[in-house]
Amino acid sequence: MDEGNAAMFMSWKSTRGRSTARMSESTTGAWDAGVSAQQNRYRYGAPIGLAVGTQVATNRGWCAVENLCPGDMVLTFDAGLQPITELRRSVLDDAHNIGARTDWPLWVPAGALGNEAEFTLMPHQTVMVESDLAEEYSGDPFALIPASALEGRLGIARRAPQMEQEVITLHFEQEQVVFVNGSALVLCPAALGGDMTRSGSYEVLDILQAQAIVQDLEPRPAERPAPQAVH
């Protein structure tokens, strides 16, 4: 690790404990006003959320994200089973909003992030990775990074959407990291309209810190948690 990266990570370590760097509406694109679970066409860049077909660990076992509803209990990394408080749907449409390459989804091959099967990540989605480098400089082996930092590592690559693709964002009372497709980990936001003054326990690295972390990553075999055994 060169001196520049070392200084960057020492700065990161010194800020641990601050409120999580949340993606605001101005960053992720504004949702149209309306009720939860309404479908929106996303016109301001790729949303955060999970592509249809992504498997999520719940108290009923593994469920496709599109089959989940508010009130369903999802297995989280830090807080056990937690209920979904809101669910939002959006549509990626290459004809309207995914012209810029920076908004293209990321294709993740099996085994790259602990996932059993290939899946799609939105570029602005936050993911949790395990890294010796993160532990060395922060004392915590787990780090939250923007998915876009993964491009070009572990076989992960951008792919232009060829058709409309539905993306579903799960919201909880507070931010939660959830298991998808095995032991891959993604951050889900706090409920819209909730008390955003309540500090989350998660801090997201900026893109430069994330890119340094990514260089240290190795493929991680999938290990499925057993959500049905947790009550």
Side-chain angles (χ1 to χ4, degrees):
M1 173 60 62
D2 59 35
E3 291 183 1
N5 280 337
M8 177 172 59
F9 275 95
M10 289 305 292
S11 173
W12 169 43
K13 181 177 179 180
S14 71
T15 62
R16 299 285 288 182
R18 294 182 182 176
S19 297
T20 304
R22 304 176 191 272
M23 287 202 175
S24 66
E25 288 188 353
S26 62
T27 301
T28 61
W31 289 103
D32 295 339
V35 298
S36 297
Q38 79 172 43
Q39 191 172 49
N40 298 282
R41 187 170 300 278
Y42 212 91
R43 297 184 180 276
Y44 302 101
I48 60 172
L50 304 175
V52 164
T54 302
Q55 296 289 310
V56 179
T58 77
N59 65 325
R60 296 180 283 113
W62 291 90
C63 295
V65 65
E66 63 269 25
N67 294 332
L68 295 175
C69 299
D72 284 345
M73 302 295 290
V74 172
L75 183 64
T76 69
F77 184 74
D78 287 310
L81 291 166
Q82 293 293 317
I84 298 170
T85 56
E86 297 182 69
L87 187 148
R88 297 270 173 146
R89 300 175 186 271
S90 57
V91 176
L92 289 179
D93 182 350
D94 62 325
H96 292 87
N97 48 52
I98 307 296
R101 189 177 184 279
T102 53
D103 289 329
W104 289 4
L106 293 156
W107 174 77
V108 182
L113 300 175
N115 50 303
E116 290 187 331
E118 64 181 55
F119 75 115
T120 299
L121 275 174
M122 299 301 106
H124 305 304
Q125 174 64 49
T126 298
V127 298
M128 179 179 277
V129 296
E130 187 174 5
S131 162
D132 291 339
L133 184 60
E135 184 172 27
E136 179 180 352
Y137 285 100
S138 73
D140 186 345
F142 294 98
L144 285 158
I145 66 172
S148 58
L150 293 164
E151 182 182 4
R153 287 290 296 166
L154 308 175
I156 297 170
R158 292 188 189 268
R159 287 189 175 178
Q162 301 301 312
M163 60 186 70
E164 289 189 349
Q165 181 174 31
E166 188 175 15
V167 178
I168 299 172
T169 306
L170 305 179
H171 294 265
F172 297 87
E173 182 64 27
Q174 292 183 288
E175 291 173 315
Q176 299 292 346
V177 174
V178 305
F179 294 87
V180 299
N181 292 350
S183 52
L185 296 162
V186 300
L187 181 67
C188 294
L192 296 175
D195 183 3
M196 298 302 289
T197 65
R198 296 172 63 182
S199 295
S201 57
Y202 301 109
E203 181 181 357
V204 183
L205 301 187
D206 66 32
I207 189 65
L208 293 179
Q209 294 167 335
Q211 287 170 342
I213 285 284
V214 164
Q215 298 308 309
D216 185 56
L217 295 182
E218 298 292 338
R220 186 162 60 86
E223 296 179 5
R224 284 202 165 208
Q228 66 274 15
V230 181
H231 298 285

